[in-house]
Amino acid sequence: MNELKPIGSCLINPLDLDRSLAAILAEQLGCDVHVVSDDQIRRDTLAQRAIADPNQWHFRYEQNVQSPAKSCRMAIALPAGGVAVWHSTAENAAQSGRHGLCVLDLEKARFETDQLHAEIESLTSQVMQDFEELSLIRSLSTSLKLSADQNASDDFVLSSLMPLALGVGAVTIAAVMTADQETDLRAPMWTNESDISDDGILSLVRKYADAAKNYPVVQNKASGQDSLGIDGLNEFVMVECASEERLHGWIVACNRIEDDIEDVPWAQLGFTTVQASLMETAANQLASQLHNIRLLKQKEELFTDVVRALVNAVEARDPYTCGHSERVASFARCLASHFGYTSAGLERIYLTGLLHDVGKIAIPDGVLQKPSRLDDSERAIIETHTDAGWRILHELEALQDVLPGVLYHHEHYNGKGYPDQLVGDNIPIDGRILAVCDAFDAMTSDRPYRKGMSIEKAVEILREGAGEYWDPKLIDCFVNHLDEIDRIRIEHQPRQPANRPAPIDGVPAINLGFTVRNESV
């Protein structure tokens, strides 16, 4: 039986190769050449000599009964295991043998050259694939950005998958992400429009989710097959997107882009391991970034919770100001949005508004909670809260940007405010905005010693104090958007303090968040 054997980098039937070389020898020598192989070699001593010494030509004299001239039986070993045999006259035997050996060496060299060319083409193709993968990874890397916002995260996923769809030649890619609980699936996000339904992709993900944990799932429809059981889906690659033991979702490349160019061997062959490898690389990179986004979100949530705790600490000291910091923060963000602030600036001014009175933690209860108007000495004490706020926050690196507003929100435009008597535009803009919003909320809110004044009266006082207490440009802007400001005031709902859960059967009802191992001493 003639099994396929490796010749160079190819699998070739040995008998076919030897017969091909024998035909070339016959053409060059001008005589019949046949191949001796397998069992015939064991019965042919001349063939055995050729196998034993494959680098030489071999001969044996033979007497032709029809002619008195001597003839020679010639033999040369062939590269696939056979022996080429032909006849020559005795006087031409040496020339025929050398000729045959040269022809064989030349064909072997040509064959090896063809093999080298094939290997070079294979290496070139691999280098091009690696270059495409590196280019795709670079393209994905340039789009990486951190945002804890869910919509921004979805935009990041789609922007990352757009170059991937082009890189793997997919008509569209669907991203099926998990909800926070990791068990529920969100609606698919598509890089391009598709005839495939959302329900179809969701059913596909549920079917192959377990398999995708170990390796990419590649499915191509068989010849004559209409679809893979889902309308519009002819082939797909599905990879899991997971990191740090957290499942983020699955990425599904759907349908190869048809290509009529003949020199593109994969054009109509569906998806292969090449595209699966690219998908897996991109999914790992995407998962890593989604993990970073999740960590950032947790960090921001912790940061916000710490800020809330500080605000709660202030309001716990002075219950009559409950909700004041949140309203001032909302007013300030609204006013700043109409004064050219960027989104980052709006977040900063809102955070500053929440913390602008944090220094009141340091004010004695007798002054802070006094039900009547403050005298001069008490007012001097209350005016120290801006410095106290700065001292509380200045060592926190994440809160450096809020310090100007916290410290200077009681400066007056005419330079007669506190703590540093700054004048005009020398007062940081955050401080000037908070000064307007803080005054407005103070005037319109109820106090133990007075009822909150009307909006009209508060606006009248703001107008009269423009240029003296407050920035005139900010007062104009505030009044121009008063309806929006007042709507925020009306719709604001102060947070209600939480009721601590009581122990149940003597066991704390709160989550301890840790366990203690009972060890004997």
Side-chain angles (χ1 to χ4, degrees):
M1 180 178 179
N2 295 308
E3 297 180 353
L4 296 180
K5 296 182 179 180
I7 306 295
S9 61
C10 300
L11 291 176
I12 299 178
N13 188 308
L15 186 57
D16 290 342
L17 175 61
D18 286 349
R19 284 173 176 171
S20 175
L21 291 173
I24 294 173
L25 283 171
E27 181 180 357
Q28 295 295 322
L29 296 172
C31 63
D32 292 334
V33 178
H34 67 277
V35 177
V36 176
S37 61
D38 297 337
D39 293 340
Q40 295 174 337
I41 294 176
R42 289 191 286 271
R43 297 192 300 269
D44 191 323
T45 56
L46 180 61
Q48 292 174 12
R49 285 164 51 196
I51 292 295
D53 187 5
N55 295 322
Q56 297 293 330
W57 55 274
H58 303 268
F59 74 97
R60 185 178 66 197
Y61 288 112
E62 291 185 346
Q63 185 66 43
N64 190 337
V65 296
Q66 297 179 354
S67 172
K70 287 184 177 181
S71 67
C72 291
R73 186 168 181 258
M74 313 296 297
I76 297 177
L78 296 172
V83 177
V85 176
W86 73 95
H87 288 85
S88 173
T89 61
E91 59 268 24
N92 292 329
Q95 180 181 357
S96 180
R98 289 193 297 270
H99 188 189
L101 197 60
C102 287
V103 170
L104 185 59
D105 288 342
L106 180 62
E107 289 303 315
K108 287 166 63 177
R110 181 180 290 119
F111 179 79
E112 291 174 356
T113 300
D114 291 342
Q115 291 299 102
L116 287 174
H117 285 162
E119 291 177 2
I120 290 172
E121 289 180 0
S122 177
L123 288 173
T124 301
S125 176
Q126 183 63 49
V127 169
M128 291 299 295
Q129 291 173 5
D130 292 343
F131 177 76
E132 289 178 0
E133 183 170 351
L134 289 173
S135 297
L136 175 60
I137 294 173
R138 181 180 180 276
S139 177
L140 293 175
S141 298
T142 57
S143 67
L144 296 183
K145 57 183 179 180
L146 291 178
S147 174
D149 179 71
Q150 183 64 63
N151 292 332
S153 297
D154 291 348
D155 291 342
F156 160 73
V157 171
L158 286 178
S159 65
S160 299
L161 296 181
M162 292 296 289
L164 179 61
L166 181 62
V168 300
V171 173
T172 187
I173 289 182
V176 180
M177 313 310 291
T178 60
D180 291 338
Q181 293 77 16
E182 298 187 36
T183 55
D184 298 330
L185 303 183
R186 296 174 54 204
M189 296 182 290
W190 300 88
T191 59
N192 298 295
E193 292 184 1
S194 174
D195 294 333
I196 307 168
S197 67
D198 287 356
D199 290 340
I201 285 297
L202 292 176
S203 66
L204 184 79
V205 166
R206 294 188 182 98
K207 180 177 180 180
Y208 292 103
D210 289 339
K213 292 179 180 178
N214 303 314
Y215 48 80
V217 178
V218 182
Q219 290 281 327
N220 296 305
K221 72 174 184 179
S223 178
Q225 187 178 4
D226 292 335
S227 67
L228 295 176
I230 297 175
D231 290 342
L233 184 64
N234 299 325
E235 51 264 332
F236 71 89
V237 178
M238 174 175 154
V239 295
E240 185 182 74
C241 184
S243 64
E244 299 292 333
E245 299 182 354
R246 178 178 176 83
L247 177 64
H248 300 287
W250 296 266
I251 309 301
V252 187
C254 304
N255 300 338
R256 287 303 302 272
I257 297 175
E258 294 185 359
D259 200 324
D260 296 330
I261 301 176
E262 295 181 355
D263 61 352
V264 181
W266 45 258
Q268 308 299 332
L269 298 181
F271 291 111
T272 68
T273 55
V274 174
Q275 290 79 45
S277 177
L278 279 173
M279 291 278 294
E280 193 170 28
T281 300
N284 290 336
Q285 190 169 5
L286 181 61
S288 177
Q289 191 67 0
L290 289 174
H291 178 67
N292 291 337
I293 290 174
R294 179 169 173 263
L295 292 178
L296 175 64
K297 182 179 180 181
Q298 291 177 341
K299 179 181 177 181
E300 291 186 352
E301 288 175 349
L302 176 60
F303 179 71
T304 301
D305 289 343
V306 170
V307 171
R308 294 287 185 190
L310 289 172
V311 174
N312 289 341
V314 175
E315 294 183 348
R317 297 284 315 285
D318 185 7
Y320 290 102
T321 63
C322 182
H324 168 71
S325 295
E326 286 188 341
R327 288 193 300 272
V328 170
S330 298
F331 295 159
R333 181 168 56 187
C334 177
L335 180 56
S337 69
H338 298 293
F339 211 70
Y341 270 49
T342 64
S343 58
L346 294 177
E347 290 300 316
R348 183 190 70 244
I349 193 69
Y350 181 77
L351 183 61
T352 307
L354 291 177
L355 293 170
H356 77 284
D357 275 343
V358 70
K360 288 184 177 180
I361 293 175
I363 304 301
D365 287 344
V367 175
L368 188 64
Q369 299 179 12
K370 184 178 179 180
S372 58
R373 291 184 179 275
L374 302 177
D375 59 29
D376 290 344
S377 61
E378 292 167 337
R379 181 159 296 280
I381 294 174
I382 205 75
E383 288 179 358
T384 64
H385 82 276
T386 54
D387 274 310
W390 180 88
R391 288 194 302 272
I392 291 170
L393 303 176
H394 85 281
E395 292 186 3
L396 301 177
E397 184 65 30
L399 294 176
Q400 293 301 300
D401 289 344
V402 309
L403 295 180
V406 170
L407 184 60
Y408 294 122
H409 69 279
H410 279 293
E411 292 286 0
H412 292 171
Y413 204 72
N414 62 5
K416 295 182 180 181
Y418 64 89
D420 294 331
Q421 294 78 51
L422 301 180
V423 180
D425 291 347
N426 289 333
I427 305 170
I429 182 63
D430 286 5
R432 283 180 274 153
I433 288 177
L434 288 170
V436 175
C437 298
D438 189 35
F440 177 77
D441 189 70
M443 288 187 286
T444 55
S445 299
D446 293 338
R447 288 291 185 267
Y449 53 86
R450 65 160 173 83
K451 183 74 173 175
M453 64 182 64
S454 66
I455 300 300
E456 294 74 16
K457 180 62 177 178
V459 170
E460 180 183 347
I461 293 174
L462 289 175
R463 287 187 182 277
E464 291 175 353
E468 182 178 0
Y469 299 106
W470 303 290
D471 185 338
K473 297 186 295 295
L474 287 173
I475 295 298
D476 289 340
C477 184
F478 186 92
V479 173
N480 289 338
H481 299 91
L482 183 61
D483 290 344
E484 190 174 350
I485 296 288
D486 193 39
R487 185 164 57 251
I488 294 173
R489 183 187 66 85
I490 294 172
E491 295 177 354
H492 176 262
Q493 296 293 329
R495 289 176 295 108
Q496 299 299 319
N499 294 319
R500 179 180 64 83
I504 301 175
D505 297 330
V507 178
I510 62 173
N511 180 18
L512 295 179
F514 60 88
T515 58
V516 178
R517 185 174 58 185
N518 186 16
E519 297 180 347
S520 60
V521 180

